[in-house]
Amino acid sequence: MSLIFACQDVPPAPWIAALGKALPEAEIHVWPDHGKVEEVEFALIWGPYAREMKRFPNLKAMMSLGAGVDHILEQVDRPMHVPVVRLIDPGLKTGMVEYVLYNVLRYHRRMPDFEQQQKKALWIERSQATPSERRIGILGLGEIGLACAEALNRLGFDLIGWSRTKKEILDVGCFYGDETLKPFLSQSSILICLLPLTPETEGILNKATLAAMPAGSYLINVGRGGHLVEGDLLDALNSGHIAAATLDVFREEPLPKDHPFWRHPNVTVTPHIAALTLPQTAAPVIADIIERVRAGRKVPGMIDPAVGY
Ligand code: NAP
Ligand code: GLV
C-alpha cells in the first residue's frame, strides 16, 4: 500500500517521520513522486491536487490535511467515485479553541481600545462586562464550534449557536436553518464563524447579515475567506456598526500587500494560522482513517458530497 502526500507549502519531512511511525507498513511518496500508480491507495491533500489523483486506479480515499475540504470538493474534475475525508484531529481542535478564546477575551476585555490608548499615552478606565453579560454567537456547531462553545461556557459566557440541523446542547441557545439566521445574528455581540465553505455558506457574512448584528459588535472569521464579502465588512467597519474584526482567512491567500485589511485600524489579520495541522497529533488520526477504510468500517470525518462538508 502506498500513500501520496500532496500538500502545497507544507514541509514534508516532519510528516514523513510521523506517518512512518503511525503507518510502518506504508510506502510514502511526496507529490509529484508517486511510485507505481496501481499501489497508491490513499492521498493526503492540501491544495489543488485532487484532480491529479485520477491517475491512481486503486485510490480508496482522499484525505484533507485539515478540517476543511473545500480545496478538494471545488475540483469537480477530481475522481468523483473516491471518498473524501476531513481530519477530526485533537491537536487542530485545541489550536482553534486557543485562537478563539484569545480573540474573544481580547474583545470582551476591550484590549484594542487600550492598545489605541497606549499609542497616545492615555490613562482611561473603560466599563467592564461580566462574561454572562456577553452573548457570543457561533456559526457552525460542528467538531470545532462545539469545542469552542465548551471552552467559552467554562468561562461563563452566554452562548448561542447556529447549525444546519437541529441540536440540543446544554447551556447553548441553539438555532438552526436559514430562517433563524437573522434572529441569531441580532443577538451575537461577538460572532465567530466556524462554518465549512459550501455553496450555501459562500458569502454568508455580507451587507445584510452584518447589518443584522448588534451595533458595536465584533467578528472573528476562522472559517474560510469565501464566507465574507470583504467590501461589505469594510463598509460596516467604516460606519462603526461593526466595532472590529479578527480575520484569519481570506478570499485570496496570501492576502495581497495592498489589501485595505492590512492597514485598517479595527482589523486584525493573521495568516491562516488559527490552527495548523500538526504531524504528531494528525498522523494517528490518518492511520485510523486508513485502517477503517481498508476494513470497510465507519470513518469519522467522511464527507457527504450532497451537503458539501
Ligand atoms: P464540521 O464538524 O463539519 O462542522 C460544520 C458545522 O457547520 C456543523 O455544525 C454544520 O451544521 C454547520 N453548517 C454547515 N453548513 C451549514 C449551513 N448551510 N447552515 C447552517 N450551518 C451549517 O466542521 P469543523 O471541523 O468544525 O470545521 C469547520 C470549519 O472550520 C472547516 O470547514 C474549516 O473551513 C474551518 N477551519 C479553519 C481553520 C483555520 O486555521 N482557520 C482550522 C480548522 C478548520 P450541522 O451540525 O447541522 O451539520
Ligand atoms: C484549516 O484551515 C483547516 O481546514 O484545517
Side-chain angles (χ1 to χ4, degrees):
M1 183 272 279
S2 76
L3 163 72
I4 293 285
F5 180 85
C7 300
Q8 195 171 37
D9 299 331
V10 181
W15 283 96
I16 303 305
L19 290 168
K21 256 193 225 157
L23 291 160
E25 252 102 86
E27 220 178 273
I28 302 164
H29 298 278
V30 178
W31 180 263
D33 170 38
H34 52 61
K36 290 195 182 123
V37 288
E38 63 280 3
E39 285 178 9
V40 176
E41 291 185 27
F42 294 93
L44 197 52
I45 301 177
W46 192 253
Y49 300 107
R51 68 167 63 92
E52 306 289 351
M53 303 299 134
K54 280 189 294 203
R55 69 193 71 201
F56 304 120
N58 297 317
L59 193 65
K60 292 186 169 53
M62 292 188 276
M63 296 171 282
S64 169
L65 193 76
V69 289
D70 42 297
H71 61 107
I72 295 179
L73 298 191
E74 72 188 11
Q75 301 219 321
V76 288
D77 51 351
R78 70 183 186 276
M80 295 300 258
H81 63 284
V82 177
V84 176
V85 187
R86 72 198 169 87
L87 290 192
I88 303 176
D89 166 15
L92 189 68
K93 224 183 260 186
T94 301
M96 291 299 275
V97 170
E98 287 171 354
Y99 185 97
V100 165
L101 283 188
Y102 173 85
N103 285 291
V104 164
L105 289 173
R106 179 168 177 256
Y107 287 142
H108 172 61
R109 293 304 309 271
R110 306 182 66 166
M111 293 313 288
D113 293 334
F114 297 117
E115 288 158 15
Q116 295 299 330
Q117 282 179 210
Q118 183 170 353
K119 286 187 187 139
K120 299 177 196 154
L122 288 174
W123 185 279
I124 305 171
E125 266 186 30
R126 297 197 178 247
S127 62
Q128 187 177 320
T130 65
S132 62
E133 290 166 330
R134 180 82 65 191
R135 183 162 288 173
I136 297 178
I138 305 177
L139 284 169
L141 288 171
E143 291 291 333
I144 297 170
L146 213 47
C148 291
E150 282 163 8
L152 290 165
N153 184 34
R154 282 195 290 274
L155 294 178
F157 286 102
D158 180 7
L159 297 171
I160 54 175
W162 187 70
S163 55
R164 190 176 58 84
T165 58
K166 190 171 177 187
K167 304 227 179 296
E168 277 176 28
I169 304 166
L170 190 67
D171 294 330
V172 181
C174 293
F175 294 68
Y176 74 101
D178 292 345
E179 323 70 62
T180 68
L181 180 58
K182 285 203 179 157
F184 161 81
L185 292 172
S186 72
Q187 301 175 42
S188 300
S189 70
I190 300 178
L191 180 71
I192 305 158
C193 179
L194 274 165
L195 291 167
L197 185 62
T198 69
E200 283 68 42
T201 64
E202 205 280 334
I204 195 165
L205 301 170
N206 57 42
K207 184 176 173 151
T209 52
L210 294 170
M213 290 169 63
S217 49
Y218 300 93
L219 171 68
I220 298 170
N221 186 18
V222 271
R224 283 288 180 265
H227 289 133
L228 178 66
V229 180
E230 295 179 343
D232 290 354
L233 175 63
L234 284 167
D235 290 345
L237 287 163
N238 292 337
S239 73
H241 181 70
I242 299 293
T246 292
L247 308 173
D248 183 55
V249 285
F250 303 89
R251 285 192 178 252
E252 186 180 346
E253 295 181 4
L255 186 65
K257 286 214 179 299
D258 60 350
H259 198 290
F261 283 157
W262 282 117
R263 276 163 286 278
H264 198 289
N266 299 332
V267 174
T268 302
V269 168
T270 53
H272 201 146
I273 49 71
L276 303 180
T277 309
L278 303 174
Q280 60 271 37
T281 58
V285 177
I286 292 161
D288 182 58
I289 294 170
I290 290 178
E291 191 187 311
R292 284 167 181 269
V293 170
R294 297 190 99 197
R297 287 161 55 211
K298 191 173 174 339
V299 179
M302 181 65 76
I303 298 304
D304 177 355
V307 291
Y309 66 96

